[in-house]
Amino acid sequence: MTTTLFFCAVMLAGVPIGICLCLSGLAFIFSTGDTVLLQSFPTQMFAGVDSYGLIAIPLFILIGEIMNSGGITRRLVDLSMAFVGSVKGGLAYVNILANMLVSSIIGSATAQVAIMAQVMVPEMEKQGYDKTFAAGLTVYGGMLGPIIPPSVMFVVYSVLAQVAVGDMLIAGILPGVLLTLLFFVIIAIMGLFYNYPRSARQTLRERATTVLQASPTLLIPIVIVGSILAGLANPTEAAAVGALAAALVGRYVTKEFDMRTLPAILLRSAIYSAIVLFLVAAAAVFSWLLIYGKIPQMVATWIQTVAHSPIAFLLLANVILLIIGTVIDGIPGLIMTVPILLPVATEVYHIDPRHFGVVIVINLVLGLMSPPVGLSFFVASAVTGAKPGKMFMVTLPFFLISCVGLLLLSLFPSLSIGLLK
């Protein structure tokens, strides 16, 4: 209890979550008086990042940085416009569809929102959409980032849960498609009540030209996801080849990637990667001490008194995770919850760890769109100037349909791990 209070106190004081985890671990060791555990502290931190699969994280981040510099995002938006831009509310569909395509390259919700808000919101405003709605819609499109592969959150979960990274990335494909379709349904329904504008209809030649110009950019997700699905490469190898593909497409196809920017790109990628990997190292110590203190067993005992079936457990976990996600960012949320809830899910209720991983990640990502923190809304606000609170209210139907999608994924495991069978 003392350690828990200490952790809450330092977190509320604004101390970074990784340092909070390390300090809480030290507080636990000193509170038990078992100082011999200090000898294993650095060993456990190193063991936490001593995983080949984690190399994929800096590579995925590098892919996103190269893509941003290479003008690839703009072409993916143009490709979406060629298919759905001319229908009523077409630009709203384009926003979600382009986010889905970009998700297969970036893999981070907040990074995706920051990028796509700069591209989509001004364009939607020009065509008569409300800026607040456009920004909020982009936020929910960004939700697809950590779900559709590549996904940094799925890589981190894979290491924490000791499951194959490739399995988790594949498990995100169907949930990503499902959420995209559900968002399309909400846009169609809202279109019945709001007079959404149509974009200018493109001629067959214009569409063919757009598709021809944008098609090479699809090589990047095809290389990443296709090589994993075909068994030609593991996620780390696929990420390395994807980074090379992004550089080649940006340099020789879009011709917007300047090699002189590469040092700055590598530096930004290294900084963000270091932050994520330090969190993983801190999580290893936190998990080790939780197990030493028999916390998972205590939680399992309590949950079994409340949830008497796997479905009841998943519903309870959804509520707990959604609440946690509203106040804590995605990766720190994973670090705090996986060591406690995963053993209960797999050992007590015999839930597939890959299915449970999808449920955890979507819950925590949805928390990025929920008050009181709603980090993605603040990112969109910083880019567009729209008010975060108004964004949430205007796009509330998307939050509700996301909850419906989460419920479906919880009740029907085949919607997440169907491609793995």
Side-chain angles (χ1 to χ4, degrees):
M1 178 62 71
T2 303
T3 305
T4 303
L5 293 175
F6 178 82
F7 175 80
C8 293
V10 292
M11 187 174 65
L12 291 174
V15 177
I17 188 69
I19 297 176
C20 282
L21 293 170
C22 292
L23 291 177
S24 298
L26 292 172
F28 175 82
I29 291 172
F30 286 114
S31 67
T32 59
D34 195 359
T35 53
V36 71
L37 293 175
L38 289 172
Q39 298 176 11
S40 300
F41 199 96
T43 305
Q44 292 295 329
M45 288 193 74
F46 177 77
V49 292
D50 185 21
S51 172
Y52 177 72
L54 286 176
I55 300 175
I57 291 178
L59 290 171
F60 285 147
I61 294 169
L62 179 61
I63 291 172
E65 291 287 345
I66 294 174
M67 188 197 74
N68 297 344
S69 301
I72 295 171
T73 305
R74 180 74 258 174
R75 282 164 176 77
L76 291 175
V77 173
D78 292 340
L79 182 64
S80 303
M81 285 287 293
F83 287 104
V84 296
S86 60
V87 301
K88 185 175 182 180
L91 212 51
Y93 291 103
V94 167
N95 194 326
I96 298 299
L97 183 58
N99 268 290
M100 186 181 75
L101 294 174
V102 174
S103 294
S104 62
I105 302 172
I106 294 181
S108 167
T110 50
Q112 185 159 321
V113 169
I115 294 164
M116 295 302 292
Q118 297 176 56
V119 176
M120 292 304 307
V121 175
E123 190 66 30
M124 292 182 74
E125 276 193 281
K126 287 179 187 176
Q127 295 202 19
Y129 289 87
D130 175 64
K131 180 172 72 173
T132 302
F133 170 76
L137 182 64
T138 306
V139 167
Y140 282 96
M143 179 182 174
L144 302 173
I147 301 170
I148 296 177
S151 166
V152 173
M153 286 186 68
F154 276 145
V155 173
V156 173
Y157 174 84
S158 299
V159 174
L160 293 174
Q162 296 297 300
V163 298
V165 176
D167 285 356
M168 286 310 306
L169 296 181
I170 293 170
I173 295 175
L174 291 180
V177 173
L178 173 64
L179 286 172
T180 300
L181 295 176
L182 290 176
F183 290 160
F184 280 177
V185 170
I186 292 299
I187 292 171
I189 293 174
M190 292 180 71
L192 299 175
F193 299 94
Y194 300 98
N195 189 25
Y196 289 153
R198 298 175 185 265
S199 299
R201 183 177 294 275
Q202 296 183 14
T203 65
L204 186 59
R205 173 173 293 187
E206 288 173 336
R207 290 184 181 182
T209 301
T210 300
V211 171
L212 191 62
Q213 291 176 344
S215 292
T217 63
L218 296 177
L219 285 173
I220 304 168
I222 289 173
V223 164
I224 296 171
V225 181
S227 59
I228 296 173
L229 287 175
L232 299 175
N234 61 42
T236 303
E237 295 164 345
V241 177
L244 177 61
L248 292 175
V249 169
R251 184 74 179 89
Y252 297 107
V253 179
T254 66
K255 298 181 179 179
E256 295 183 28
F257 176 57
D258 188 345
M259 291 297 292
R260 289 174 295 184
T261 64
L262 188 58
I265 287 173
L266 291 173
L267 179 60
R268 288 196 300 270
S269 300
I271 291 172
Y272 186 63
S273 300
I275 293 170
V276 174
L277 293 174
F278 178 73
L279 284 171
V280 175
V285 175
F286 191 69
S287 303
W288 166 58
L289 292 173
L290 285 176
I291 294 170
Y292 181 84
K294 298 182 179 181
I295 302 300
Q297 294 90 324
M298 295 168 59
V299 173
T301 302
W302 174 78
I303 288 179
Q304 287 180 80
T305 63
V306 180
H308 302 290
S309 68
I311 292 177
F313 167 76
L314 283 171
L315 294 177
L316 177 62
N318 278 329
V319 174
I320 294 172
L321 290 164
L322 190 57
I323 293 172
I324 291 173
T326 60
V327 294
I328 298 176
D329 199 1
I331 292 176
L334 279 177
I335 289 168
M336 292 180 60
T337 56
V338 170
I340 297 174
L341 294 178
L342 182 64
V344 181
T346 56
E347 296 170 16
V348 178
Y349 296 99
H350 308 291
I351 296 170
D352 190 301
R354 299 165 299 181
H355 173 219
F356 192 60
V358 171
V359 172
I360 286 182
V361 168
I362 295 179
N363 262 295
L364 295 175
V365 171
L366 189 56
L368 294 172
M369 290 86 185
S370 310
V373 178
L375 180 60
S376 288
F377 283 120
F378 282 97
V379 171
S381 176
V383 174
T384 66
K387 300 294 184 183
K390 289 185 178 180
M391 272 190 272
F392 176 76
M393 294 307 299
V394 167
T395 55
L396 184 59
F398 291 93
F399 178 83
L400 297 176
I401 202 67
S402 298
C403 292
V404 171
L406 182 57
L407 182 61
L408 291 173
L409 289 166
S410 300
L411 297 178
F412 302 103
S414 60
L415 290 176
S416 57
I417 58 175
L419 293 179
L420 296 171
K421 296 180 179 179

